[in-house]
């Protein structure tokens, strides 16, 4: 499915349509439906970046290989973006916890590095009475 791309840059609609063997109207439809968002020149010509082409490849995989309709593609892309955002947030949280633990560990006290402060367990001595 991957088309041959030689370099970074922007591609006009006719070149993209030819690379992926689709009609330019299909690309316009994908844009109208919000699936693709190519940039525009001052003359209003659509320009597709490498990122746009990667997204198009994903869309075409869903449509051609898996038979997903446009509404389904939109939902899948939306879910994918949400998952990527959640992953970024999770990575940010993990990095925060790491740096916080490192800071506390460097403060010296063994329990200062703990996320939850440690307390010494109370020692209970059991005595048995003999009758």
């Amino acid at each position: 499915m991957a088309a041959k791309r030689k370099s970074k840059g922007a591609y006009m609609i006719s070149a993209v349509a030819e690379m992926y063997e689709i009609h330019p109207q299909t690309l316009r439809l994908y844009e109208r439906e919000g699936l693709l968002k190519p940039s525009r020149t001052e003359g209003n010509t659509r320009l597709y970046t490498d990122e746009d082409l990667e997204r198009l490849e994903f869309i075409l995989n869903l449509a051609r290989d898996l038979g997903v309709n446009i509404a389904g593609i939109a939902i899948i892309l939306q879910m994918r973006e949400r998952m990527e955002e959640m992953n970024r947030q999770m990575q940010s949280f993990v990095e925060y916890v790491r740096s916080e633990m490192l800071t506390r560990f460097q403060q010296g006290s063994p329990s200062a590095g703990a996320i939850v402060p440690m307390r010494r367990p109370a020692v209970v001595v059991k005595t048995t009475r003999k009758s």
Side-chain angles (χ1 to χ4, degrees):
M1 171 63 65
K4 295 178 182 176
R5 287 183 256 146
K6 294 180 182 175
S7 64
K8 275 192 164 186
Y11 305 88
M12 292 177 44
I13 193 169
S14 57
V16 174
E18 188 176 320
M19 279 193 293
Y20 291 95
E21 299 176 356
I22 56 176
H23 198 280
Q25 284 296 341
T26 304
L27 291 168
R28 292 184 187 99
L29 171 66
Y30 290 162
E31 183 181 1
R32 244 188 339 268
E33 294 295 327
L35 304 178
L36 287 175
K37 296 173 185 92
S39 58
R40 301 277 186 144
T41 64
E42 289 181 19
N44 213 25
T45 301
R46 290 172 179 86
L47 294 177
Y48 294 86
T49 63
D50 288 333
E51 291 79 23
D52 293 326
L53 297 184
E54 286 176 22
R55 188 172 172 101
L56 176 61
E57 288 175 11
F58 184 73
I59 291 168
L60 292 175
N61 180 45
L62 291 172
R64 290 176 175 171
D65 300 341
L66 302 175
V68 180
N69 65 18
I70 290 179
I73 292 170
I75 290 169
I76 291 168
L77 289 172
Q78 204 172 48
M79 290 174 65
R80 186 181 192 204
E81 289 167 4
R82 285 183 186 163
M83 287 175 57
E84 288 170 354
E85 176 58 27
M86 288 171 59
N87 190 35
R88 282 190 292 275
Q89 290 175 354
M90 189 61 114
Q91 291 300 324
S92 175
F93 176 71
V94 167
E95 188 54 41
Y96 167 76
V97 170
R98 273 191 191 134
S99 66
E100 193 66 25
M101 286 177 62
L102 182 61
T103 300
R104 290 182 183 191
F105 183 73
Q106 290 173 342
Q107 288 175 351
S109 171
S111 64
I115 293 175
V116 177
M118 298 182 339
R119 289 188 283 206
R120 293 197 175 268
V123 177
V124 178
V125 178
K126 277 190 167 182
T127 58
T128 56
R129 289 187 173 172
K130 294 185 179 179
S131 11

